[in-house]
Amino acid sequence: MDRETDIILDFQLLQVSEVANSSRMEKVGLERSLSKLEELGLQIEVLATDRHPQVNSLMKKTYSHIDHQVDVWHLAKNVSKKLREQAQKKGCSQLMAWIQSISNHLWWSAATCNKDPDLLREKWTSIVYHVTNTHSWMVGANLLNVLMHNSLKKNREQSYG
């Protein structure tokens, strides 16, 4: 989709019989679309996808000139899933109350980093301070050393480690 016009530039429909297995469909469809768009002379600057391993590999090997970004929704979903799995383990039940806040923090980090990867990394990793009820710090902070929000109402029973 063109981000200026919101026009869908290409759409590929594949049959599972066209590829070795269904997990390859996403990569093959994307490869066909990118090839077609570049043949038409379109310059693709940024592409956002989920975290499909074959797509990541394709982008690194064949389309390294395109800024490949991961869709935050897919990333947050994956992080939440992994946290839920860990919270099921013995001695980790307190983590369950934090999962939504951690997911929200990831969204906030991405939305407020102004496309600065260093600021994104610092905001995202600042979650370790947040979950320990520490709201200012100096260690490892180059761009950010205080959580940038007002006090939050305690709407869940969260304990600080």
Coordinates of all heavy atoms in Angstrom, one line a residue, residues 98 105 122-141 144-147 149 160-161:
W98 N 1.5 -8.2 34.8 CA 2.3 -7.1 34.1 C 2.2 -7.2 32.6 O 2.7 -6.3 31.9 CB 3.8 -7.3 34.5 CG 4.0 -6.6 35.8 CD1 4.1 -7.3 37.1 CD2 4.2 -5.2 36.1 NE1 4.3 -6.3 38.0 CE2 4.4 -5.1 37.5 CE3 4.2 -4.1 35.3 CZ2 4.6 -3.9 38.1 CZ3 4.4 -2.9 35.9 CH2 4.6 -2.8 37.2
H105 N 3.7 -0.7 27.0 CA 5.0 0.0 27.0 C 5.8 -0.2 25.7 O 6.4 0.8 25.2 CB 5.9 -0.6 28.2 CG 7.2 0.2 28.3 ND1 7.2 1.4 29.0 CD2 8.4 -0.1 27.9 CE1 8.5 1.8 29.0 NE2 9.2 0.9 28.3
E122 N 16.2 2.4 24.1 CA 16.2 2.9 25.5 C 14.8 2.9 26.1 O 14.6 2.5 27.3 CB 16.8 4.3 25.6 CG 18.3 4.2 25.5 CD 19.0 5.5 26.0 OE1 18.5 6.2 26.9 OE2 20.1 5.8 25.5
K123 N 13.8 3.4 25.4 CA 12.5 3.4 25.9 C 12.0 2.0 26.2 O 11.4 1.7 27.3 CB 11.5 4.1 25.0 CG 11.7 5.6 25.0 CD 10.7 6.3 24.1 CE 10.8 7.8 24.3 NZ 9.6 8.5 23.8
W124 N 12.2 1.1 25.3 CA 11.7 -0.3 25.5 C 12.4 -1.0 26.6 O 11.8 -1.6 27.5 CB 11.9 -1.1 24.2 CG 11.7 -2.6 24.3 CD1 12.6 -3.5 23.9 CD2 10.6 -3.2 24.9 NE1 12.0 -4.8 24.2 CE2 10.8 -4.6 24.8 CE3 9.4 -2.8 25.4 CZ2 9.9 -5.6 25.3 CZ3 8.5 -3.8 25.9 CH2 8.7 -5.1 25.8
T125 N 13.7 -0.8 26.7 CA 14.4 -1.5 27.8 C 14.2 -0.8 29.2 O 14.5 -1.4 30.2 CB 16.0 -1.6 27.5 OG1 16.5 -0.3 27.3 CG2 16.2 -2.5 26.3
S126 N 13.7 0.4 29.2 CA 13.4 1.0 30.4 C 12.3 0.3 31.2 O 12.0 0.6 32.4 CB 13.0 2.5 30.2 OG 11.7 2.6 29.7
I127 N 11.6 -0.6 30.6 CA 10.6 -1.4 31.2 C 11.1 -2.1 32.5 O 10.4 -2.3 33.5 CB 9.9 -2.4 30.3 CG1 8.6 -3.0 30.9 CG2 10.8 -3.5 29.9 CD1 7.5 -2.0 31.1
V128 N 12.4 -2.5 32.5 CA 13.0 -3.1 33.6 C 13.0 -2.2 34.9 O 12.8 -2.7 36.0 CB 14.4 -3.7 33.4 CG1 14.4 -4.7 32.3 CG2 15.4 -2.6 33.1
Y129 N 13.1 -0.9 34.7 CA 12.9 0.0 35.8 C 11.5 0.2 36.2 O 11.2 0.2 37.4 CB 13.5 1.4 35.4 CG 15.0 1.3 35.1 CD1 15.4 1.3 33.7 CD2 16.0 1.1 36.1 CE1 16.8 1.2 33.4 CE2 17.3 1.0 35.7 CZ 17.7 1.1 34.4 OH 19.0 0.9 34.1
H130 N 10.6 0.2 35.2 CA 9.2 0.4 35.5 C 8.7 -0.7 36.4 O 7.9 -0.5 37.4 CB 8.4 0.4 34.2 CG 7.1 1.0 34.3 ND1 6.8 2.3 34.2 CD2 5.9 0.4 34.5 CE1 5.5 2.5 34.3 NE2 4.9 1.3 34.5
V131 N 9.0 -2.0 36.1 CA 8.4 -3.1 36.8 C 9.0 -3.2 38.2 O 8.5 -4.0 39.0 CB 8.5 -4.4 36.0 CG1 7.8 -4.4 34.7 CG2 10.0 -4.8 35.8
T132 N 10.1 -2.5 38.5 CA 10.7 -2.5 39.8 C 10.3 -1.2 40.6 O 10.9 -0.9 41.6 CB 12.2 -2.7 39.8 OG1 12.8 -1.6 39.0 CG2 12.6 -4.0 39.2
N133 N 9.4 -0.4 40.0 CA 8.9 0.8 40.6 C 10.0 1.9 40.8 O 10.0 2.7 41.7 CB 8.2 0.6 42.0 CG 7.2 1.7 42.3 OD1 6.8 2.4 41.5 ND2 6.9 1.8 43.6
T134 N 10.9 1.9 39.8 CA 12.0 2.9 39.8 C 11.7 3.8 38.6 O 11.5 3.3 37.5 CB 13.4 2.2 39.5 OG1 13.6 1.3 40.6 CG2 14.5 3.2 39.5
H135 N 11.6 5.1 38.9 CA 11.1 6.0 37.8 C 12.1 7.0 37.4 O 11.8 8.0 36.7 CB 9.8 6.7 38.3 CG 8.7 5.6 38.4 ND1 8.1 5.1 37.3 CD2 8.3 5.0 39.5 CE1 7.2 4.1 37.7 NE2 7.3 4.1 39.1
S136 N 13.4 6.9 37.9 CA 14.5 7.6 37.3 C 15.7 6.8 37.5 O 15.8 6.0 38.5 CB 14.6 9.0 38.0 OG 14.9 8.9 39.4
W137 N 16.7 6.9 36.6 CA 17.9 6.1 36.7 C 19.0 6.8 35.8 O 18.7 7.6 35.0 CB 17.6 4.7 36.1 CG 17.1 4.7 34.7 CD1 17.8 4.6 33.6 CD2 15.7 4.9 34.3 NE1 17.0 4.7 32.5 CE2 15.7 4.8 32.9 CE3 14.5 5.0 35.0 CZ2 14.5 5.0 32.2 CZ3 13.4 5.2 34.3 CH2 13.3 5.1 32.9
M138 N 20.2 6.3 36.0 CA 21.3 6.9 35.2 C 22.0 5.8 34.4 O 22.6 6.0 33.3 CB 22.3 7.6 36.1 CG 21.8 8.9 36.7 SD 21.1 10.1 35.5 CE 22.6 10.5 34.6
V139 N 22.0 4.6 34.9 CA 22.8 3.5 34.3 C 22.3 3.2 32.9 O 21.1 3.0 32.6 CB 22.7 2.2 35.1 CG1 23.4 1.1 34.4 CG2 23.2 2.4 36.5
G140 N 23.2 3.3 31.9 CA 22.8 3.0 30.5 C 21.9 4.0 29.8 O 21.6 3.7 28.7
A141 N 21.6 5.1 30.4 CA 20.7 6.0 29.8 C 21.5 7.1 29.1 O 22.2 7.9 29.7 CB 19.8 6.6 30.9
L144 N 17.4 8.9 27.6 CA 16.2 8.8 28.5 C 16.6 8.4 29.9 O 17.4 7.4 30.0 CB 15.3 7.8 27.9 CG 14.0 7.4 28.6 CD1 13.0 8.5 28.4 CD2 13.4 6.1 28.0
N145 N 16.3 9.1 30.9 CA 16.6 8.7 32.2 C 15.5 8.9 33.3 O 15.7 8.9 34.5 CB 17.9 9.3 32.7 CG 17.8 10.8 32.9 OD1 16.8 11.4 32.6 ND2 18.9 11.5 33.2
V146 N 14.3 9.1 32.7 CA 13.2 9.2 33.6 C 12.0 8.7 32.8 O 11.9 9.0 31.6 CB 13.0 10.6 34.1 CG1 12.7 11.6 33.0 CG2 11.9 10.7 35.2
L147 N 11.1 8.0 33.4 CA 9.9 7.6 32.7 C 9.0 8.8 32.4 O 8.8 9.7 33.3 CB 9.1 6.6 33.5 CG 9.7 5.2 33.5 CD1 8.9 4.3 34.4 CD2 9.7 4.6 32.2
H149 N 5.8 9.7 31.9 CA 4.4 9.7 32.1 C 4.1 10.1 33.5 O 4.9 10.1 34.4 CB 3.8 8.4 31.8 CG 4.2 7.3 32.7 ND1 3.8 7.1 34.0 CD2 5.1 6.2 32.5 CE1 4.4 6.1 34.5 NE2 5.2 5.5 33.6
Y160 N 5.7 -5.1 42.8 CA 7.0 -4.7 42.3 C 8.1 -5.6 42.9 O 8.0 -5.9 44.1 CB 7.3 -3.2 42.7 CG 6.4 -2.3 42.0 CD1 5.3 -1.8 42.6 CD2 6.7 -1.9 40.7 CE1 4.4 -0.9 42.0 CE2 5.8 -1.0 40.0 CZ 4.7 -0.5 40.7 OH 3.9 0.3 40.1
G161 N 9.0 -6.1 42.0 CA 10.0 -7.1 42.5 C 11.1 -6.5 43.3 O 11.3 -5.5 43.6

